Amino acid sequence: MALRGVLRAGEVAIRVMDMKAARQHYGDRMGLHEMMTDDTGRVYYKAWDEHDHHSIVLREADSPGMDYFAFKVFDDATLTTLEQKLEAFGLQVERIEAGVYPKSGRRIQFVLPSGHTMQLYAHKEQVGNTLGLVNPGVVPDEGVIRGFRINRLDHLLLGGGHLDENVRLFTEVFDFDLGEKLVDHESGASLAVFLSCSTKPHDIAFVLQPQQNKFHHVSFLLESAHDVIKAADMIGKYRIPVDVGPNRHGVTRGATIYFFDPSGNRNEVFAEGYVHYPDTPTLVWDTRELGQATFSQDNTPRESFLTVLT
Amino acid sequence: MTETDDHRCDVARCVDTTRADAPLRHMVTVLDTQESFACRSDESLLAGMVRLGKRGIPVGCRGGGCGVCRIEVVRGDYVRHKMSAAHVDATDLSNHRVLACRIVPAGDLEIRVLGRMAQHVCAPPATDSAG
Ligand code: FES
Ligand SMILES: [Fe+2]
């Protein structure tokens, strides 16, 4: 299948406890571009190479975590089809008028079996990546790529229950593939599932948690594993709390570093990994190799990986 | 104790201890283990513990978001920064149950560890609250 239907994670709405500190983190340190503040005080960011107006929305609140996330779909007809498929699946779908979310066309919203609020939309104002569309060249002006040199929003990992129901929803309704999964060796129960709607190893993942609707991390794509190391240098310089230093995931083969924003929300910068196609078989890891599945350069599981969420 | 708007204690500042405005040091005693460490007045209690390679309080997000570093301050003064309402409510605050990554000692402290890292991936225990 050519890439139609559900395209990508296009928007993640994150709660922060202090907007001033969050702006320093997401803007000055990570190098995302602040696009606007709306009349409720929410602050909107994009990564330089995204054409759409924004991909990260910050809201000040008394606890951190995620309000909702949204995937962009190919066109309005896709939205209509998916609304019917979602209802046939048994989910309640709420319609949101165009313009309710800034720069955005109409959306549909529903709650996943894992408790997370998900939205789909087909249109968002495109502002470009500064290079233009005709003879765009390849390198933007000095200062456009900055901070951690983030190219774009890549994926998110969310915590909750009913992982297999989530897999059924994403594969049957949204045409995702189950790229990889981590299971308990004794019981065979799913502990983490990794789903792709593209040629990336994953576009969204879920990890088993005792509580519904938990936020594990949002991940940003860098150009190379070398850029991950350079981001780690900046993380060290600015004393940003690190969860797991530079390593490579067994699952997805991505080069990674995990760190936290000033409100304790986990972020990741990520590069590389393999190419996934719809006919790529599902790869299965089990708890006998929990270390390698999570962090393959030292084969050591981190307890914080499965227990520290917002 | 006072609550400030500061987003986090300034652990990033490089400290010259010979300067007149060099930070004070306060002794923090973890009653569970009877271990003590000297925490600076410009770093969170948890950051002070981590910097010295000490253990005892679980270390998570270090931003007052995940709740694993919950402690009870049994004795002593401290400054409290913003922490997740999903993990610490008004009753907790008045009973000095706080998140160690978001308090800064203002004198010697005695504390008890309340937070716990869930131990096993296959049997995730219930945690105290959502967030
Ligand atoms: S370490 Fe997460 S709240 Fe303190
Ligand atoms: Fe990730």
Side-chain angles (χ1 to χ4, degrees):
Chain A
M1 154 191 94
L3 189 55
R4 297 289 185 271
V6 179
L7 300 182
R8 63 173 174 274
E11 188 170 314
V12 181
I14 299 167
R15 293 190 301 273
V16 299
M17 293 188 284
D18 179 335
M19 191 58 82
K20 186 164 160 251
R23 281 168 113 144
Q24 183 183 61
H25 178 82
Y26 288 94
D28 302 343
R29 301 295 186 239
M30 293 178 72
L32 298 176
H33 293 269
E34 187 174 317
M35 297 302 290
M36 67 173 214
T37 302
D38 72 16
D39 44 21
T40 67
R42 289 175 171 81
V43 182
Y44 295 72
Y45 287 92
K46 80 186 278 287
W48 84 270
D49 205 15
E50 294 166 335
H51 286 265
D52 285 2
H53 181 270
H54 59 266
S55 56
I56 295 291
V57 183
L58 303 181
R59 178 172 76 87
E60 196 168 72
D62 66 4
S63 65
M66 184 188 72
D67 282 336
Y68 67 89
F69 70 97
F71 269 66
K72 193 177 193 189
V73 305
F74 181 63
D75 59 9
D76 197 74
T78 309
L79 218 46
T80 306
T81 310
L82 289 177
E83 180 175 357
Q84 291 158 3
K85 286 176 79 177
L86 278 162
E87 279 169 348
F89 186 86
L91 292 189
Q92 240 179 34
V93 182
E94 185 187 332
R95 291 182 180 180
I96 301 167
E97 294 293 308
V100 171
Y101 287 86
K103 315 285 180 190
S104 175
R106 74 180 179 103
R107 296 186 176 197
I108 56 175
Q109 174 172 291
F110 41 91
V111 177
L112 302 180
S114 56
H116 302 92
T117 299
M118 177 173 175
Q119 300 176 350
L120 298 172
Y121 63 94
H123 294 288
K124 187 183 278 182
E125 187 181 307
Q126 292 203 314
V127 296
N129 63 3
T130 76
L131 287 172
L133 302 178
V134 178
N135 300 326
V138 292
V139 181
D141 289 345
E142 212 55 63
V144 173
I145 305 178
R146 59 185 195 179
F148 296 178
R149 306 181 67 81
I150 289 166
N151 284 350
R152 56 187 315 121
L153 172 64
D154 190 85
H155 65 267
L156 58 168
L157 172 55
L158 305 173
H162 309 287
L163 299 194
D164 296 331
E165 270 300 281
N166 271 14
V167 169
R168 201 165 73 78
L169 172 68
F170 275 77
T171 54
E172 289 179 11
V173 174
F174 299 143
D175 285 331
F176 281 52
D177 303 313
L178 181 61
E180 304 199 32
K181 70 174 175 174
L182 171 67
V183 301
D184 177 39
H185 175 59
E186 275 79 45
S187 67
S190 302
L191 298 176
V193 295
F194 303 82
L195 293 142
S196 174
C197 63
S198 66
T199 58
K200 301 188 304 176
H202 64 337
D203 290 281
I204 190 165
F206 298 94
V207 60
L208 184 65
Q209 286 295 304
Q211 287 180 298
Q212 293 283 85
N213 193 21
K214 299 291 280 186
F215 179 66
H216 190 282
H217 71 266
V218 59
S219 185
F220 299 90
L221 184 69
L222 305 189
E223 192 86 23
S224 67
H226 179 257
D227 276 358
V228 173
I229 300 296
K230 299 307 278 184
D233 285 336
M234 305 300 278
I235 287 167
K237 173 179 170 68
Y238 292 114
R239 308 279 173 134
I240 295 169
V242 172
D243 184 26
V244 183
N247 211 303
R248 186 179 298 281
H249 293 305
V251 174
T252 75
R253 291 188 217 151
T256 175
I257 176 167
Y258 281 136
F259 52 99
F260 294 102
D261 82 5
S263 298
N265 296 302
R266 192 187 275 94
N267 300 154
E268 176 182 45
V269 287
F270 176 94
E272 304 180 350
Y274 58 86
V275 178
H276 171 88
Y277 281 100
D279 65 340
T280 306
T282 299
L283 307 177
V284 181
W285 301 77
D286 67 41
T287 37
R288 292 172 303 177
E289 288 290 353
L290 182 61
Q292 188 171 56
T294 47
F295 301 104
S296 66
Q297 289 179 335
D298 56 12
N299 302 310
T300 304
R302 276 34 179 210
E303 62 179 353
S304 65
F305 180 76
L306 293 146
T307 54
V308 173
L309 291 86
T310 52
Chain B
M1 116 216 53
T2 50
E3 176 155 80
T4 74
D5 281 337
D6 292 357
H7 66 278
R8 62 171 67 193
C9 4
D10 192 359
V11 291
R13 191 144 41 106
C14 186
V15 177
D16 176 358
T17 48
T18 61
R19 274 172 28 189
D21 61 348
L24 302 169
R25 276 161 207 279
H26 301 297
M27 285 312 286
V28 176
T29 305
V30 182
L31 294 175
D32 311 66
T33 58
Q34 287 302 320
E35 252 207 296
S36 299
F37 60 91
C39 188
R40 296 198 311 233
S41 58
D42 67 342
E43 67 186 353
S44 78
L45 194 155
L46 194 69
M49 184 192 82
V50 169
R51 186 172 48 77
L52 294 169
K54 302 271 185 179
R55 287 152 179 274
I57 309 170
V59 179
C61 69
R62 284 152 282 170
C66 72
V68 302
C69 69
R70 248 170 95 91
I71 58 169
E72 181 182 335
V73 179
V74 177
R75 194 184 63 77
D77 293 329
Y78 56 93
V79 177
R80 171 162 50 79
H81 299 265
K82 277 186 190 155
M83 48 186 76
S84 173
H87 295 292
V88 176
D89 63 19
T91 315
D92 289 327
L93 292 179
S94 53
N95 289 304
H96 304 288
R97 288 191 295 263
V98 291
L99 302 176
C101 65
R102 301 295 283 159
I103 69 161
V104 179
D108 292 353
L109 296 183
E110 287 175 11
I111 64 127
R112 238 184 266 287
V113 179
L114 302 175
R116 188 150 304 163
M117 209 52 107
Q119 306 84 344
H120 203 269
V121 52
C122 305
T127 49
D128 55 352
S129 55

